[in-house]
Amino acid sequence: MWTASAAWHRQGKHGAMTRLGGTILSLIVLALIAFASMVSFGPTAVRKGPITADPTPITATNRPMIAAIAIPVAGVTADQIADTWGDSRGDGTRSHQAIDIPAPGGTLVIAAAPGQVEKLFNSAAGGTTLYVRSPDRAWTYYYAHLAGYAPGIREGSSVTRGTVLGYVGDTGNAGAGNTHLHFGVSRMAPGDRWHAGTPVNPYPLLAGSALRR
């Protein structure tokens, strides 16, 4: 006999099945959406070539620069320095690849830039000399015709800008009484020793400009 109770039971069972089917259908749809998100349809643009942090190549015109350096003779100002780079030396047999800074004998010679004393050397031309290599080893600063070295200065010494290195003198081929500092700057390549490198004019640096590495 069909009763209201039986009808309600049947409708309840049918509703439960309908809800179950809806739940399963929803799960299937969600699974399809998730799958579709992991699959790329159609052509995709591909970046060719290596990926680098800085794609701009380093050229001769965009190399990092070395900042202006201190005048390496105490008490001398920029307007007292003459650009003697390229002047004739040795009766025209060579050109001057440095800057001469005249000063009284015994005037303090200071480090123009930080670095490490790489070589103390005595030669017929330069007399008592000193070479400082920059921390990145890209530059060497050359101090010549010294009267002597300051106390504590030795090969391997670390110096900062302004450290006293020695004293102005006239040793080497400077000529008796011609007291001055012969100051040179050289751009160093990997593997270059203290006496090597490519000399550059230090005058723009001493005058407050900058040179590229």
Side-chain angles (χ1 to χ4, degrees), residues 84-96:
T84 57
W85 174 269
D87 286 359
S88 176
R89 292 289 190 272
D91 296 326
T93 59
R94 55 189 172 84
S95 64
H96 193 226

